Amino acid sequence: MLSREMECVRPKMNQEGRINLVRVRHPLIDREKVVPCNLWLGQDFTSLIITGPNTGGKTVTLKTLGLMTLMAQSGLHIPGNLGTELSTFEEVYADIGDEQSIEQSLSTFSSHMTNIVSIMNAVTPRDLALFDELGAGTDPTEGAALAQVILNALLKIKARTAATTHYSELKAYALSTPGVENASVEFDVATLRPTYRLSIGVPGKSNAFEISRRLGLPEYLIDEAKDLLSHDTIRFEDVIANAEYHRQVAEKERELAEQARQETVRLRNEAELLYKTMEEKKEAATLKAKEDARRIMEKAKREADSIIYDLKRLKKNANVQDHEVNALRKRMEEGMDSLAEGLRRPTGNIAEPPKTVKIGDLVEITHLNTKGTVLSLPDNKGEVQLQAGIMKMKAHLSQLRLVNDPKPKKKVSSFSVQTGAATRTVGLSCDVRGLALDEALGEVDQYLDEAVLAGLHEVTIVHGKGTGILRDGIQRHLKTYPQVKSFRRGKYGEGEEGVTVVELK
């Protein structure tokens, strides 16, 4: 229950002294205000020197490191993120805070040193040692020297160590000593507020002069204080400040780069989805075309088999009438016309590529089977820039077709006769299969008029067998047509109940 309430994770544990805190929060600081801490120790270095201004969060970082270690070794989960790793230590030593004792007549420095002496006498490579303001409370030069000697001793025995300090000497020591690393807490001089963010690898600057200037200390006093510092100290602090500035710039650029990377990933995913959709449409169109071709070929085969059967029957029959031969010829021609029509590629919507385009024109990109908008005029190679959905691309004019906005057109009643041969003006049959009765009657009337004008004496109306509604309706209508002499249903080989043979006057 406590783990859920504090939004904790189960840390990975090791015995090698490795520590990796991933966005860990101090559990006693308000969750809405606490700044998560990232800290690692024990892999590439065993000692960490944390520097930075007062109130910047150095001590809280030190306490968080020790508290997380003790929580994990007590069986508690850690208020942080997945990936947090901690080690088990035999002892965790800490010298944190001002333990000045009037009763024992101990000064601040003496109090700290008493703790440090007891730690140094007992510490082993299996321990974690934490020092707050190591060497403080005495002469800065001597305090810095003592702090460096203590850190060196801990480094030699490879005890895991973290210490906070303001001494520039310790910053330089961490920069030049293998196994020791600098860390710093950020401070915004413009607002005089700490950010509480820990940065490992960069020493911090105390910013005493900048903070004093912002608080109103006269400039001449600050200049006099700077004159009292050695040239090397000022130069070192300036190097630190410059490094911190560039680190913050790099951090912002890294965030921008991460945003750009995420946007690139999003666009790539959308492009992959678009490509996948286009491939699926292409595959579906190919399958449909193959299925249509298969149906056309099957129909042609059935028709050819029927014609071959009729030819064999006519060959055996000596009394072959001319109109029967003509009917078979008619069926063969119509079968060829139908097959060619089914396999013919539609040409009504195919346009010539444009010679030029204007910005804003809507075009079809033929090799991609998609539409796009023109963004630039053609260059000397004839290529234009296009916007197709979320993608920008270049394409040659030969790969484009202008797309006109469809405008509604008035329907015009018209009837064209499919001749199949240039010398024939009307066919010997009229196929109305699949039409409604009223539509079929109109087609029959028109066809009979054409047949009478062409001088035909016998024609065939193909209406199919079906339910018989179309056949009965057409035959009733033929009784009222003045130029019809007689009609009969088809014989065996002519289509039987599926056709009506009409004799014209």
Side-chain angles (χ1 to χ4, degrees), residues 120 134 143-155 170 173:
M120 296 302 295
L134 183 61
L146 282 172
Q148 185 170 331
V149 169
I150 292 168
L151 290 172
N152 246 339
L154 293 168
L155 178 64
L170 294 186
Y173 165 74

Side-chain angles (χ1 to χ4, degrees), residues 265-322:
V265 171
R266 184 184 68 80
L267 293 176
R268 184 200 65 189
N269 291 339
E270 291 183 1
E272 289 178 351
L273 180 61
L274 178 62
Y275 176 78
K276 182 179 179 182
T277 302
M278 293 171 60
E279 286 294 312
E280 289 175 351
K281 289 182 177 179
K282 178 181 176 182
E283 184 177 355
T286 303
L287 291 175
K288 185 177 182 303
K290 289 181 178 179
E291 181 63 23
D292 291 344
R294 184 187 64 80
R295 286 198 298 267
I296 291 171
M297 295 304 295
E298 287 180 351
K299 180 181 177 182
K301 183 177 181 301
R302 288 195 301 268
E303 188 67 20
D305 290 342
S306 175
I307 292 173
I308 291 172
Y309 175 82
D310 290 344
L311 284 173
K312 290 180 178 179
R313 180 180 58 81
L314 293 176
K315 184 178 180 182
K316 295 179 182 179
N317 188 357
N319 301 319
V320 179
Q321 301 294 324
D322 290 341

